[in-house]
Amino acid sequence: MPKIKYGLKNCYYAKATISTTDGSATYATPQPWKGAVNLSMDREGDQEVFYADNIAYYISANNGGYTGSFESALIPDDFRTNILGETKNTDGVLIETVQSQPEHFAFLFQFEHDNTNTKHVLYNCTSGRPAASGATKNETIEVQTETLNLDAKAIYNSSLQKDIVKASTAASTDSTTYASWTTAVYQPTA
């Protein structure tokens, strides 16, 4: 059982193709995202309690997914073209157009612990374009990073016949599943 969490690493993204039939997704092969600095995702949705007969008569849980930000050294060019919808012309220049439409994707990442590393996947992520920012050099050079706002919402899983938001490895995760976590997006089965 881990006691502390101290590191973020092994970040990947995988483009999602959403089925027009049932709203489930299939995923491309996860692509590595080097330079992870910080991931901060807040949960959306709360429990609502209905009181009657002087007791909590009915409790409803509302899982609205997560919203937050991911900071990295640089946003990879392939993420800009595959997910953010930028185009690269024959001169090798990335072009953001008014018509650029972002794609859905899965986001995979790993937290280090004192005795194990927990791997996660957020299944239905979207992100808008990043802000453009920078700063001049001073007497000391401070590294400038890039940050994306992320939204992770539920998506239908046809095997479970339920909407899913996130999956994480645990101490009981079999070694094959754990080892292959970043070679393909984990899809739970019934």
Side-chain angles (χ1 to χ4, degrees):
M1 182 71 123
K3 296 176 186 157
I4 60 171
K5 174 172 55 175
Y6 58 82
L8 169 67
K9 67 178 188 177
N10 289 336
C11 295
Y12 289 75
Y13 76 91
K15 185 176 179 179
T17 302
I18 310 295
S19 167
T20 56
T21 307
D22 64 4
S24 64
T26 56
Y27 299 93
T29 302
Q31 299 300 309
W33 188 319
K34 299 294 182 191
V37 176
N38 186 40
L39 176 67
S40 177
M41 300 297 287
D42 294 323
R43 63 182 168 79
E44 287 191 348
D46 289 313
Q47 286 188 341
E48 294 191 25
V49 181
F50 172 74
Y51 289 92
D53 296 330
N54 291 329
I55 62 169
Y57 192 78
Y58 176 76
I59 299 173
S60 170
N62 177 8
N63 185 343
Y66 298 88
T67 187
S69 62
F70 174 58
E71 178 185 7
S72 69
L74 289 173
I75 297 170
D77 287 355
D78 58 337
F79 184 86
R80 289 181 177 275
T81 56
N82 294 334
I83 304 301
L84 297 180
E86 295 181 16
T87 57
K88 190 179 281 191
N89 72 6
T90 56
D91 298 326
V93 175
L94 285 168
I95 300 168
E96 177 185 322
T97 67
V98 175
Q99 292 81 19
S100 297
Q101 290 296 315
E103 299 284 340
H104 293 254
F105 62 99
F107 188 66
L108 299 87
F109 55 96
Q110 178 177 330
F111 289 135
E112 290 186 52
H113 296 284
D114 51 349
N115 61 357
T116 186
N117 296 315
T118 305
K119 298 179 180 184
H120 304 269
V121 58
L122 295 167
Y123 286 104
N124 187 23
C125 295
T126 55
S127 176
R129 58 197 172 111
S133 64
T136 190
K137 292 191 298 185
N138 291 318
E139 293 174 10
T140 60
I141 298 174
E142 292 187 30
V143 174
Q144 303 292 309
T145 59
E146 295 182 325
T147 301
L148 280 176
N149 290 327
L150 290 180
D151 284 314
K153 304 298 182 198
I155 194 159
Y156 184 70
N157 177 282
S158 54
S159 178
L160 296 177
Q161 297 183 359
K162 293 182 180 183
D163 292 334
I164 59 175
V165 176
K166 179 176 93 119
S168 304
T169 61
S172 59
T173 302
D174 69 75
S175 60
T176 303
T177 300
Y178 189 87
S180 64
W181 196 261
T182 56
T183 58
V185 173
Y186 176 77
Q187 291 279 31
T189 56

